[in-house]
Amino acid sequence: MSASVSARADAVLMSTYRRAPVVFVRGAGSWLYDDAGKAYLDCLCGVSVCSVGHANPRVARAVSEQLGTLVHVSNLFYTLPQVELAERLVALSGLDRVFFANCGATANETAIKLARRWGQQGERRRHGVISLDGSFHGRTLATLAATGQPEKQATFQPLPPGFSQVAPEDLEALAAAIEPTTVAVLLETVQGEGGVRPLGERYLQGVRRLCDERELLLIVDDVQAGTGRCGRWFSWQDLGFVPDIATTAKALGGGLPIGACLARDAVAAAFRPGDHATTFGGGPAICRGALAVIEEIEQRALLANCAARGAELRAALERVPGVSAVRGRGLLLGAVLERPCAEALVARALELGLVVNNVRPEVVRFAPPLSITVDEVAEAARRFAGALAAVAS
Ligand SMILES: *Cc1c(COP(=O)(O)O)cnc(C)c1O
């Protein structure tokens, strides 16, 4: 890496990130290239963002054309790409209405505000949101309050009130935590940042039943697990339940920032004009990009590829000495290591030309493009095994 870039970055950027010593200059499909021309197999893809591959030609073409036509007019007016994208998301999700935000956190803020707005109807005036230990919902103050990781919250107190957490996979604990002021349960079907921990199907269906019994909204944060990552358009779609509100973001824009909050009609109806807004959300260029992402997934049958390559990657990682288990769904997988050496392993993997990241001291996350090939899966497992052997010795 050219040391001057990191020195310049250190001089002018806030030090919020621990960055690896690489300057990427170019990408193509599943591959990234640094400023020395070295190739890396990208099994993280911007943390589940570049799901249709780097520099995807269909997305690049769609966005470029729109950039030369109309980029922004605000939400005071109609634009066709936003309407078309909403129509697609409604059809793909089975939910009824969409609000476009700018990222995962602002999509979740929208979900929380919608739940509160819904809860203010009638006599009960409810606002409380229950989420799960180990969850991750974003870095804004409200989504941080919903995030079940006390170490991330500690230095930003006081956080907005109205949020509490319970242990996952424990329906009794959830039932006991419901207060008269509770309006919603918020969860990820696979806790991504929390260590790639999938929640059980029966637990999720139990949460749905509990929400129905207690008249609570069920919000699924599909920011990381959605847009095909788990082999379905939305992660809940083969888990036997449907949420009232769902958010998605990361992969939706093919690398450009976008978030979406979807809801059932009866819930979405709680929002009235003036209740919520964004300047940039749902702009024409980004919506054209997202439409191209959806088209790419359909045309190349990437949901099926995700399921097939996901099964292959899981099996290959399970065979690597030093890996005790592999968990997750589709192409959102966590390799659980016998020893807590994930940080060193990820650094070593990078040297060997494999991009992955550590979400726990003993868990390495894989979230490659949904377009990853059979050969690339085998190559990823080979490089990972090499890195783990090097770190272990
Ligand atoms: C990444 C993530 C977020 C936050 O998204 P940003 O785009 O970084 O704001 C929220 N929820 C989940 C599950 C995520 O993985």
Side-chain angles (χ1 to χ4, degrees):
M1 178 188 70
S2 70
S4 72
V5 175
S6 68
R8 285 164 60 192
D10 288 347
V12 292
L13 295 175
M14 295 194 191
S15 52
T16 52
Y17 302 107
R18 261 178 236 102
R19 293 183 210 264
V22 181
V23 181
F24 287 123
V25 294
R26 191 168 67 81
S30 304
W31 296 85
L32 283 169
Y33 302 88
D34 71 12
D35 54 358
K38 177 177 163 184
Y40 300 74
L41 182 49
D42 187 4
C43 281
L44 191 58
C45 68
V47 190
S48 191
V49 167
C50 298
S51 282
V52 293
H54 291 284
N56 181 284
R58 191 192 305 267
V59 175
R61 210 178 314 115
V63 174
S64 314
E65 275 174 26
Q66 190 62 44
L67 284 176
T69 306
L70 183 71
V71 182
H72 177 83
V73 293
S74 88
N75 284 301
L76 297 174
F77 309 97
Y78 295 99
T79 55
L80 196 54
Q82 183 177 128
V83 178
E84 283 182 17
L85 180 58
E87 286 171 348
R88 293 308 318 269
L89 291 177
V90 162
L92 296 174
S93 68
L95 295 172
D96 302 311
R97 285 174 189 274
V98 186
F99 177 92
F100 287 110
N102 299 299
C103 63
T106 52
N108 284 338
E109 286 275 346
T110 305
I112 292 163
K113 286 180 73 177
L114 178 59
R116 284 193 173 188
R117 190 70 186 80
W118 183 82
Q120 297 301 302
Q121 302 176 135
E123 282 149 32
R124 284 170 65 191
R125 306 262 140 197
R126 297 179 294 161
H127 67 271
V129 173
I130 302 175
S131 53
L132 301 180
D133 292 341
S135 62
F136 181 81
H137 299 296
R139 300 288 194 157
T140 63
L141 288 172
T143 57
L144 182 60
T147 288
Q149 300 187 42
E151 68 280 8
K152 287 193 168 68
Q153 300 175 329
T155 44
F156 296 101
Q157 302 291 346
L159 293 173
F163 297 90
S164 61
Q165 280 85 43
V166 296
E169 302 289 355
D170 185 344
L171 282 175
E172 278 171 30
L174 179 59
I178 298 169
E179 295 179 19
T181 51
T182 303
V183 73
V185 175
L186 166 65
L187 53 77
E188 304 152 87
T189 61
V190 182
Q191 293 187 333
E193 302 308 302
V196 193
R197 277 185 292 210
L199 299 182
E201 223 172 304
R202 293 197 30 210
Y203 171 72
L204 290 165
Q205 292 167 5
V207 174
R208 175 70 273 181
R209 266 194 307 279
L210 191 57
C211 287
D212 289 340
E213 284 162 20
R214 307 292 289 269
E215 290 178 56
L216 304 180
L217 299 177
L218 175 52
I219 308 172
V220 167
D221 176 348
D222 228 18
V223 165
Q224 183 160 164
T227 320
R229 174 67 38 201
C230 292
R232 302 294 298 261
W233 286 106
F234 293 91
S235 71
W236 71 79
Q237 288 177 322
D238 52 7
L239 299 175
F241 77 100
V242 179
D244 302 295
I245 303 177
T247 57
T248 190
K250 286 190 163 83
L252 183 57
L256 296 176
I258 187 172
C261 175
L262 298 99
R264 287 199 289 118
D265 243 336
V267 178
F271 267 164
R272 311 303 309 165
D275 276 343
H276 192 50
T278 162
T279 298
F280 289 113
I286 233 150
C287 287
R288 274 280 166 252
L291 284 162
V293 167
I294 292 170
E295 202 177 296
E296 183 77 357
I297 291 173
E298 283 176 336
Q299 299 281 315
R300 293 177 61 192
L302 294 184
L303 297 184
N305 195 65
C306 172
R309 300 296 84 75
E312 288 164 13
L313 181 57
R314 177 189 290 266
L317 294 175
E318 277 168 352
R319 284 193 299 269
V320 173
V323 171
S324 60
V326 181
R327 62 195 185 199
R329 292 199 173 97
L331 278 171
L332 180 55
L333 296 174
V336 185
L337 310 172
E338 284 165 6
R339 294 194 306 113
C341 59
E343 192 177 342
L345 169 54
V346 163
R348 189 64 202 225
L350 192 67
E351 287 169 17
L352 296 178
L354 174 68
V355 180
V356 285
N357 87 326
N358 45 313
V359 277
R360 295 277 114 179
E362 76 292 356
V363 183
V364 174
R365 169 171 48 192
F366 285 75
L370 307 183
S371 50
I372 193 169
T373 65
V374 175
D375 289 348
E376 287 166 349
V377 164
E379 183 60 25
R382 207 155 31 235
R383 292 185 185 195
F384 179 77
L388 186 47
V391 167
S393 69

